[in-house]
Amino acid sequence: MCALVFLAAFESLAVTTVMPGISEALDGASLYALAFSGPLAVGIIGMVIAGQWSDRTGPRGPLLASLTLFVIGLGIAGFATSMEVLVAGRLLHGLGGGAITVSLFVMVARIYPPELHARIFAGFAAAWVVPSLVGPFLGGLVAESLGWPWVFHGVILLVVPAVIMLRPALRRLAADAPGAAPWRLGTVAWAALVAAGVLTVDLTSGTGTPVGWVAAAAALVVVLIALRPLLPAGALRARRGLPAVITLRGFLSGAFVGAQVYLPYLLTDVHHVTPVLAGFGLTFGGLAWALASQIHGRVATRVSDRGVLRLGTSLVLFAIAASTLTSVLEAPPLATVAVWTCAGAGMGLAYPRISTMTLALSTDTDRGFNSSALTIADSIGGAVALAGTGVVFGALTDGPTAFAPFSGVFALATLFALVAAALVRRATVSRRAGHTAAPEPAGAGAEAADGDPGGVTVAA
C-alpha cells in the first residue's frame, strides 16, 4: 500500500514541477489549471464507484481496476502532442487515482485494528519522503534531459512491482469479502454530475464574458446540489461531528492545492529558476508533511483532536498568508520556499487526524461510503479552489507586475484556509484524545433522487 502511495506522490510532485514547461511546449497556458482540477473532478466518479464496490465485495476488485485506468491515463498523457490530449489523459488517470485512494482507505480498515490506523496513515505520509526528496528534482531533471513525456512513462514502470508486493494481501481480502451493501447507481450519476459541473466551471469562468460567468455560476449551483447525496447528511452545512470533519477536509485541501500548484509556476516564470531548483520548493514542503505525520503517529493517542487540528490548520493558514505577503512584496524565492515548509507541516498534522476521525465514526457497512466522502471532499475542495485561482490568475495576468496574478491566487487560497481553521470547533467537541463529536442522525434532506440515502452517519 505504501508503494502505491509512493507512486501517487512521485507522479503528483514530478508533474506539478514540470507542468509549467509542458504548458509552454504545448501552447496550453489556458488549460493549465484544468490539467490539475480536471483529474480531481473526475476522480470523484472513481471514488464513489470504488466506495460502493468496496462495501459490496471488498477493495480488491476496485483497486486492480483503478490501477489499470491509472496506467492507461499516464500513457496517454505521456504520448500527448497537444494540451487537449494531455488533459484527456490526466482525466483518465484521475479517474483511476480517485478509486485507488478509497480502496486503500478500506484496506486499512479491513486489515489493521483501529489502534494502528494513525500509524498506518503516518506510514502513508512517510511514503512521500523519497518522492519529496527526489520527485521534483528528478522530474525537472528528466524533463530537461529526456523530455517531459518520460515523467509520465517512468511512473508506469513502477506499477508492476507495487502490485506484486500487494498480491498476498489482495488474496486475503478476496477470501473475506463482505458482500452486504447494495449498489446505489444513483450516487454514481450524481458523482458524474459533480465532475461535469466542475469541468464546466473551469471552462466557462475563464472566458471573461458575461455569458461565461453566468454559465459558471449555474454550474457551481449544480455541483453543490449534486454533492449532497455523495456526502454525509449535513456536510454542506458543516453540521457538528462527521459532516464537519468532511467539510473541513475539503476546505483544507482547497487551500493547500490552490496555492501549491502555482508555487513552481511562480519560481520558474517570475524568478526564472530552473525546473530542478523550483522542485525544491515542493521538496521541503513534502518533507515537513512526512515528518509531521510521523510525529502525529507517535503521539496521536495523547493529543486531542481539537489540539491537532487547530495547530495543523493554523500552520497552513500562516504559510499561505505569508506566501501572499512575499508575493506582494516581491520577496526572493527563498522566502517563499521557507514559508511553504510550514504548510507541509500543517498538512502532515491535520490530514492523518482527519482520516482516523473518519474511520472512527464509521462501521463495516458504511466505511467505504465515508472514505469515499472524505476523498470526494478532498478532491472537490482542490478542484473548486483551482477553478477559482485559474480565474483570478487570468484576470490579473495583465496586472501592474508579474507578481500580481500569484498574489491574487495566494490570497484566494488564504480564504479557504481561514474557513478550514474556523471549522475545527465544529468538527470536534471533546478535548480528550481520540474523541470526536457524535454526529446527528442523517436527515431526510440527504435523500438522493432515486430514493437511496445520500449519506448515513453512524457514531462509533
Side-chain angles (χ1 to χ4, degrees):
M1 290 191 292
C2 286
L4 293 179
V5 175
F6 174 93
L7 277 174
F10 185 89
E11 186 272 340
S12 175
L13 291 166
V15 171
T16 300
T17 302
V18 303
M19 188 59 76
I22 296 175
S23 174
E24 182 179 358
L26 299 180
D27 193 23
S30 61
L31 297 177
Y32 182 85
L34 183 61
F36 292 99
S37 62
L40 293 176
V42 299
I44 295 171
I45 303 174
M47 294 169 192
V48 171
I49 295 175
Q52 294 192 34
W53 196 348
S54 297
D55 283 341
R56 184 173 178 82
T57 65
R60 180 178 184 271
L63 182 61
L64 293 176
S66 57
L67 281 170
T68 302
L69 292 176
F70 185 83
V71 169
I72 294 175
L74 288 175
I76 293 175
F79 286 109
T81 56
S82 67
M83 196 65 172
E84 289 77 10
V85 175
L86 183 133
V87 169
R90 294 273 292 165
L91 293 178
L92 190 59
H93 143 264
L95 182 66
I100 290 174
T101 303
V102 173
S103 301
L104 291 180
F105 267 67
V106 178
M107 287 184 69
V108 170
R110 294 280 303 281
I111 294 176
Y112 299 99
E115 57 268 22
L116 290 182
H117 288 172
R119 292 201 173 193
I120 299 304
F121 287 122
F124 285 179
W128 279 73
V129 172
V130 173
S132 297
L133 283 171
V134 303
F137 172 80
L138 189 58
L141 186 63
V142 169
E144 291 180 10
S145 57
L146 300 177
W148 61 261
W150 281 100
V151 175
F152 296 98
H153 296 158
V155 176
I156 297 176
L157 300 178
L158 302 175
V159 172
V160 174
V163 175
I164 291 175
M165 286 187 287
L166 204 59
R167 286 183 61 192
L170 292 177
R171 284 197 297 266
R172 173 182 170 184
L173 288 170
D176 186 32
W183 280 102
R184 294 185 294 174
L185 298 180
T187 57
V188 179
W190 286 116
L193 190 58
V194 169
V198 172
L199 294 177
T200 301
V201 171
D202 264 319
L203 294 173
T204 57
S205 60
T207 61
T209 64
V211 174
W213 283 106
V214 171
L220 186 58
V221 172
V222 171
V223 169
L224 293 176
I225 294 174
L227 270 177
R228 293 189 67 211
L230 305 179
L231 304 177
L236 294 182
R237 293 181 285 109
R239 196 167 65 192
R240 289 187 179 275
L242 180 62
V245 172
I246 300 296
T247 307
L248 169 59
R249 178 68 162 251
F251 277 97
L252 192 60
S253 170
F256 186 82
V257 173
Q260 184 191 45
V261 162
Y262 287 90
L263 181 64
Y265 204 161
L266 170 65
L267 297 176
T268 56
D269 191 61
V270 178
H271 292 292
H272 305 293
V273 303
T274 66
V276 173
L277 294 178
F280 280 113
L282 304 182
T283 295
F284 289 118
L287 285 175
W289 186 324
L291 179 60
S293 293
Q294 287 298 310
I295 295 173
H296 171 269
R298 294 182 181 276
V299 302
T301 58
R302 301 195 296 272
V303 185
S304 69
D305 294 333
R306 183 170 295 179
V308 172
L309 292 182
R310 276 182 172 172
L311 179 57
T313 55
S314 296
L315 285 171
V316 174
L317 175 58
F318 163 77
I320 300 177
S323 297
T324 307
L325 184 60
T326 59
S327 181
V328 170
L329 298 178
E330 302 183 10
L334 184 61
T336 302
V337 172
V339 298
W340 193 249
T341 303
C342 293
M347 297 294 281
L349 291 173
Y351 255 46
R353 181 54 66 104
I354 292 173
S355 298
T356 56
M357 290 169 68
T358 300
L359 292 182
L361 293 171
S362 303
T363 68
D364 288 338
T365 57
D366 68 354
R367 188 170 290 117
F369 173 82
N370 289 339
S371 298
S372 172
L374 183 66
T375 50
I376 285 172
D378 203 4
S379 291
I380 200 66
V384 171
L386 285 170
T389 53
V391 173
V392 171
F393 189 86
L396 297 177
T397 298
D398 297 326
T401 69
F403 287 88
F406 298 98
S407 300
V409 163
F410 293 143
L412 180 59
T414 300
L415 293 179
F416 275 77
L418 277 171
V419 176
L423 287 173
V424 170
R425 187 174 182 85
R426 299 188 64 81
T428 57
V429 295
S430 173
R431 292 182 180 272
R432 291 177 297 164
H435 287 258
T436 57
E440 303 170 20
E447 297 269 321
D450 60 354
D452 290 334
V456 180
T457 306
V458 181

